[in-house]
């Protein structure tokens, strides 16, 4: 059976500020993780095997009682989201074997979830007789609930040498490990560590703890509890890369942990210089039970094209435990609308003006229907300035600017403007000095039939001439 700790839930939520999203609109991306420690995500059956031989009299036995009860409280909290309730939850149970010359699996209560019953048993321990480690391991191995599918853990505490050989301790330990049970050993004082290493599950550095003095027992049991109830995930790294149509708005990233913001040292968010990716680091999640983290950041649509668009290109996850977290990325997260609701010919159809036979002049007020034009047409404004060189002073010139648009490799006329201007006046000594001369601006309105989010190519031609060339204009130099 494989027991997995870590990520239980991972999901992504995209919340646009409006539906459909405007072309320059914003949305919030939220990545949610839920992790649990090993005991909460995978319940366990723990057999506390406690030495009550004669050498435990006095301070050692008192310290063992305090330390083992503290251990039970830690497991209580671990199965109840960090709060001691007096009852192990999630299906985990604890049983107690007390041993000296012989070993006894205490029933009732047997394997139980009642913290009170377990503490009462521990308070009743009494120092007696010699030490039989083989008896203890045999009682632990054979008294688990065989119907339970929980992981089975044996915690053997002792302070002395094995001096009663009813059962062979090495054989009993090997039988337990062969059956899939995990064995931890806690030794007190000057004990034969080689025996503990031999009986425990590998590796020894996580399964064998030594308390030099009775005062060190509480810490040893706490360390053991931490080894059993591993955090859901350590050193989490999440990197979210978004599609080019969006960019991350810096300063909007934040994380909440179980409803409260995480302190900065625990979580760090880094946005890439191009604002296309964000990396989160979380040191630990699921340490005290089932814990959640919500990672949020805002994005802005920066493209000129609309449609149903996916936001997250890739989302990668890693942690020290090798957990996996999957976030959907290839779905249409948001609908974006970039084209305004305008008519194709929004600048109104052309007015028809007729000249009658022999009619030389006509003045009209547009629109002819007597109403007025709206300034609602989407369009572009082209302003052209023309610089002419070698323009003689005290003359009149006519300048014409023609604008064509390249449509399907053809030139389509879009506007033509002509102005007549006087060149600068000059004194008598400058009459024959021709200089550069600026004319303009010539302004053209170029209506749009779709939207501003398209490329358009125009060609501009300029023609110019002196307009007084037909007069009797002469310059005497």
């Amino acid at each position: 059976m494989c027991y997995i700790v870590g990520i239980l839930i991972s999901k992504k939520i995209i919340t646009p500020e409006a539906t459909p999203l405007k072309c320059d609109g914003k949305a919030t991306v939220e990545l949610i993780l839920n992790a649990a420690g090993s005991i909460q995500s995978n319940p366990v059956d723990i057999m506390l095997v406690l030495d009550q031989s004669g050498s435990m009299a006095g301070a050692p036995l008192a310290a063992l009682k305090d330390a083992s009860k503290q251990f039970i409280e830690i497991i209580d909290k671990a199965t109840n989201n960090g709060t001691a309730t007096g009852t192990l939850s999630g299906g985990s149970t604890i049983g107690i074997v007390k041993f000296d010359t012989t070993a006894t699996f205490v029933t009732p209560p047997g394997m139980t979830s009642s913290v009170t019953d377990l503490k009462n048993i521990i308070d009743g321990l009494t120092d007696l007789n010699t030490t039989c480690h083989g008896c203890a391991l045999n009682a632990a191995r054979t008294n688990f609930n065989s119907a339970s599918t929980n992981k089975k853990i044996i915690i053997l505490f002792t302070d002395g040498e094995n001096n009663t050989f009813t059962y062979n301790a090495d054989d009993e330990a090997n039988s337990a490990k062969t059956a899939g049970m995990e064995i931890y050993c806690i030794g007190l004082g000057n004990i034969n560590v080689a025996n503990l290493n031999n009986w425990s599950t590998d590796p020894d550095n996580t399964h064998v703890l030594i308390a030099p003095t009775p005062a060190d027992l509480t810490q040893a049991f706490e360390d053991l509890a931490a080894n059993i109830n591993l955090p859901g995930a350590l050193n989490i790294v999440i990197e979210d890369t978004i599609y080019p149509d969006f960019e991350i708005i810096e300063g909007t990233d934040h994380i909440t942990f179980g409803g409260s913001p995480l302190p900065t040292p625990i979580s760090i968010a880094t946005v890439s210089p191009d604002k296309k990716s964000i990396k989160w680091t979380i040191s630990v999640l699921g340490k005290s039970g089932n814990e959640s983290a919500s990672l949020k950041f805002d994005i802005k649509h920066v493209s000129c094209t609309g449609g149903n668009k996916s936001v997250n290109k890739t989302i990668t996850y890693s942690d020290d435990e090798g957990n996996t977290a999957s976030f959907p990325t290839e779905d249409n997260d948001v609908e974006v609308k970039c084209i305004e609701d305008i008519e194709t010919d929004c600048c109104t159809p052309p007015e028809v003006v007729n000249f009658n036979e022999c009619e030389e002049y006509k003045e009209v007020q547009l629109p002819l229907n007597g109403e007025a034009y709206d300034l609602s047409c989407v369009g572009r404004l082209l302003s052209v300035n023309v610089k002419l060189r070698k323009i003689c002073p005290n003359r009149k010139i006519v300048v014409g600017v023609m604008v064509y648009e390249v449509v399907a490799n053809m030139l389509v006329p879009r506007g033509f403007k002509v102005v007549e201007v006087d060149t600068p006046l000059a004194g008598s000594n400058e009459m024959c000095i021709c200089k550069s001369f600026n004319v303009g601006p010539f302004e053209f309105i170029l209506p749009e039939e779709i939207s501003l989010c398209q490329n358009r190519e125009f060609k501009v031609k300029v023609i110019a001439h002196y307009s007084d060339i037909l007069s009797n204009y002469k310059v005497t130099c």
Side-chain angles (χ1 to χ4, degrees), residues 132 144 157 205 288 323 331 405 413 431 435 453 471 473:
C132 181
F144 278 108
F157 166 81
N205 62 344
S288 300
N323 294 305
D331 51 354
E405 184 169 9
M431 292 298 293
K435 300 179 180 180
C453 293
S471 65
Y473 183 88

Side-chain angles (χ1 to χ4, degrees), residues 32-67:
I32 298 175
L33 292 174
N34 182 272
S38 56
I39 290 180
Q40 185 152 20
S41 57
N42 299 283
V44 295
D45 295 328
I46 300 173
M47 192 73 77
L48 280 176
V49 185
L50 305 179
D51 188 343
Q52 62 169 12
S53 60
S55 59
M56 288 292 294
L61 188 58
L64 172 63
K65 292 179 179 181
D66 290 340

Side-chain angles (χ1 to χ4, degrees), residues 411-476:
L411 292 180
V412 179
R414 294 303 190 199
F416 178 44
K417 286 191 176 182
V418 177
V419 296
E420 183 180 52
V421 295
D422 294 322
T423 63
L425 298 175
S428 58
N429 60 340
E430 295 181 321
M431 292 298 293
C432 293
I433 301 177
C434 296
K435 300 179 180 180
S436 296
F437 179 58
N438 290 315
V439 183
F442 297 82
E443 294 185 334
F444 299 87
I445 295 177
L446 307 169
E448 288 288 352
E449 293 184 350
I450 301 178
S451 76
L452 294 177
C453 293
Q454 61 176 335
N455 296 324
R456 298 177 69 182
E457 180 183 354
F458 296 91
K459 293 186 180 294
V460 181
K461 295 183 178 181
V462 177
I463 57 175
H465 211 294
Y466 291 106
S467 60
D468 55 8
I469 192 169
L470 300 179
S471 65
N472 294 324
Y473 183 88
K474 294 181 179 180
V475 176
T476 301

Side-chain angles (χ1 to χ4, degrees), residues 262-281:
L262 274 173
T264 301
I266 294 181
S267 173
I268 300 174
T270 305
V271 178
S272 62
D274 63 359
K275 301 179 182 179
K276 299 301 181 184
S277 68
I278 183 169
K279 179 184 286 186
W280 302 84
T281 59

Side-chain angles (χ1 to χ4, degrees), residues 56 69 90 92 159 163-164 175 179 218 325 351 366 378 383 420 469:
M56 288 292 294
K69 288 190 290 186
S92 291
D159 75 330
N163 50 30
T164 302
S175 295
T218 296
E351 300 278 4
L366 300 180
V378 176
S383 183
E420 183 180 52
I469 192 169

Side-chain angles (χ1 to χ4, degrees), residues 276-425:
K276 299 301 181 184
S277 68
I278 183 169
K279 179 184 286 186
W280 302 84
T281 59
I282 305 173
S283 62
V284 60
L285 192 65
K287 181 178 181 180
S288 300
N290 195 321
E291 298 173 345
S292 63
S294 169
L295 298 74
K296 286 186 179 182
F297 60 96
D298 290 345
I299 57 170
K300 180 180 180 180
H301 186 258
V302 294
S303 171
C304 281
T305 60
N308 293 322
K309 299 190 175 184
S310 296
V311 173
N312 308 90
K313 187 176 182 180
T314 59
I315 305 177
T316 60
Y317 175 93
S318 66
D319 64 30
D320 288 353
E321 285 64 49
N323 294 305
T324 60
S326 177
F327 302 90
T329 56
E330 298 303 325
D331 51 354
N332 294 325
D333 294 311
V334 293
E335 178 188 358
V336 181
K337 188 174 183 180
C338 286
I339 302 174
E340 298 295 332
D341 293 326
I342 57 175
E343 297 179 5
T344 300
D345 191 5
C346 66
C347 291
T348 72
E351 300 278 4
V352 178
V353 177
N354 294 312
F355 273 80
N356 296 325
E357 183 180 356
C358 297
E359 186 178 11
E360 297 181 354
Y361 173 78
K362 182 183 289 286
E363 181 176 347
V364 297
Q365 171 67 48
L366 300 180
L368 295 177
N369 61 10
E371 295 182 358
Y373 295 125
D374 294 325
L375 295 179
S376 61
C377 178
V378 176
R380 323 221 183 173
L381 180 64
L382 174 64
S383 183
V384 178
N385 287 280
V386 177
K387 185 175 183 179
L388 304 174
R389 63 186 178 90
K390 296 183 179 180
I391 301 300
C392 293
N394 301 341
R395 300 289 301 272
K396 289 182 178 295
I397 59 173
V398 174
V399 180
V401 177
M402 295 167 285
V403 176
Y404 300 85
E405 184 169 9
V406 180
V407 179
N409 296 320
M410 297 179 61
L411 292 180
V412 179
R414 294 303 190 199
F416 178 44
K417 286 191 176 182
V418 177
V419 296
E420 183 180 52
V421 295
D422 294 322
T423 63
L425 298 175

